[in-house]
Structure formats: C-alpha cells, structure tokens
Amino acid sequence: MKKYIIIALGILVILSCQKTEEKKSLEKEIILKPYSSYYPKEKTKILVVGTFHFSYPGLDATKTNNDDKIDVLKEPKKSEVTELVEYIKQFKPTKVAIEAKPSWNMNKDYKEYRKGKHRDVRNESYQLGMRIANDFNLDTIYSVDAKSFDEDLSKVNPKLIEELGKDYDFKSEDPFYKMVKKSFDESTAFPAKENLLKFMKHMNTIEGHRNNYGAYLIGDFKLDDTRGADFLSIWWYNRNLRIFRKIQQIDQTKEDRILIIMGNGHASVLRHLIEYSPEYEFVEFNSL
C-alpha cells in the first residue's frame, strides 16, 4: 500500500513540475507590446505654426494697443518676415493649410497670388501660408477653419445658446484668469520689441501652448456648475475639433508634410489633438 502511495505522490510531483514549467513557458511567451507598435512607424508629419494675426482684425478677446502694432510690409519687420519664412521652409511642406473658411474660396486668391497679386495683404495666410506654398510651387492652399457647433444650435434653439453663453465675456474675477490675462496683454507688445522668429519660437513652445490651452480652463469656464464648461465645449473646443477634422479630410499620404498656419489659440488645441492621434506625427516648431 505504501508503495502505491509513494508512486502516486511521485506522479503528482511530476505533474506539478510540468505545470510549473508550462506556466513559466507561457509567462515567457507573453510580451507586453508597446502601443506604438500597432501603428505605422512612418506617419504624415504636421507642423503647426501658431501666430498672432498680422493684420490685427481685433476679433480676439485680447486687443493690441495701436502703439504696439507692427507693419509686416515695412522694415525692419518685412525682413523679419522673410527670415521667418525661410525658417519655416526647412520643414519642406507638401501641403499648406491656413485659418480660413472654405467658403472664402482662398484658392482663387492663391492662384492670383501666384501671378503676383495680393503681395501687400498683411494677413499671415498671405504673408506666410501663400508665400511658402508658392515658393514650393504647390498648386493648392487648404482652408481648414470652421464655424462652431453653437452657431448650428442657435438656429434650432437660440434661447438655449443665449442662456449658456451669458456672461461668457472674458471679464472674470478668477485670480488665475487675471494671471493669464496679464501674460496675454504683455505678449501683444513683444512683436514690436523683439525679432519675429524669436517671438514665434517663444510662442510655439510646449509652455506657450499650455498657457494658451489653460487659459480656457479658468475664468468663464467656472460659470455656475457646468454652464461654462458646456458653452466652451460647443463653442471653442468644438471649433478646433472641426478644424482637426478638416485637416483629416485633406488628401494625404504618410509621405506628406502638412504645414498649418493658425492663430496660436488654435495651435495649442491642435497640438493636443495631433500628438494624441495615431495618424500623425507632430513636428515641434523649434526643432527645424
């Protein structure tokens, strides 16, 4: 009897050892693959050039004093624009997109630009976007600006949008908003005092984009319980999501290099969307 018990115990030990070895073998076979391995190594590259508006349309919450405005058609800023253009051209774009509504038919202006017209238009879409596209002999300029969802909703329920947007006027008493407002107000004077390329490098850093992005998460964002957050989502954030969608709709391949000329407020959100998208590779402005 003892003999059989010993044999049985021996078999159990052998089976246990086999299972242990099998478990170790399985553990060796399980490899935690990096998430990036699921996607192409080569992706469409995108360079977002966040900028202030060269023509000072005065539509943004932060206004520039007349004494601080520059003229990009006159020296020394004219030469600084050329320096900026030559710096951006190192990206070697195959596609150029600008902050313009598709309904504006900017391709018509671009075709005229290629024939020598519109060279005196101060807007950055012309001074940077069209100029660079023309230098690379590109036949199309892409307009990727978009209206916000709140405009669509206001046609259906104007009272709702009016109530949501009430007091969303960038005049908050939030101490953090006062801090960010000071940073914006002071920055409007920089182009007149500093070299344009140096200033653009300063604007397009991670820190610069975080400052722009964070500005929307304080102040009026805190209106009531979630009213400020609700309004921001259908107004500003939605607009940038729609801009990103228009970028996706550009006919493109993984070999393409897309240059986007955009107001710096948009650039901060677009950085976030592009960096987290599996489709694209975000190119740092300061890496050129």
Side-chain angles (χ1 to χ4, degrees), residues 89-126:
K89 282 168 62 176
Q90 293 178 95
F91 177 62
K92 299 179 181 178
T94 59
K95 302 271 194 318
V96 176
I98 56 175
E99 184 181 346
K101 299 285 197 308
S103 60
W104 295 357
N105 195 17
M106 292 293 276
N107 252 325
K108 176 179 177 294
D109 275 16
Y110 177 55
K111 289 177 181 177
E112 294 173 350
Y113 182 94
R114 299 194 70 186
K115 296 177 181 179
K117 295 183 179 180
H118 309 306
R119 305 301 171 97
D120 58 347
V121 178
R122 290 172 174 80
N123 187 290
E124 64 278 2
S125 292
Y126 294 80

Side-chain angles (χ1 to χ4, degrees), residues 213-229:
Y213 200 122
Y216 289 97
L217 305 178
I218 53 180
D220 291 336
F221 182 78
K222 300 177 182 179
L223 285 171
D224 297 342
D225 184 12
T226 62
R227 182 166 66 85

Side-chain angles (χ1 to χ4, degrees), residues 101 145-158 161 231 234-235 238-239 242:
K101 299 285 197 308
D145 196 7
K147 64 179 182 179
S148 302
F149 191 39
D150 68 302
E151 292 186 40
D152 298 325
L153 289 178
S154 66
K155 297 175 182 177
V156 180
N157 193 335
I161 301 304
F231 185 72
I234 63 171
W235 165 61
N238 175 264
R239 182 179 169 191
R242 288 182 169 191

Side-chain angles (χ1 to χ4, degrees), residues 244-260:
F244 180 71
R245 181 69 188 109
K246 289 186 180 298
I247 293 169
Q248 287 180 322
Q249 291 171 334
I250 295 173
D251 185 31
Q252 59 197 258
T253 68
K254 63 182 181 180
E255 287 80 24
D256 272 316
R257 304 169 66 83
I258 303 176
L259 168 64
I260 301 172

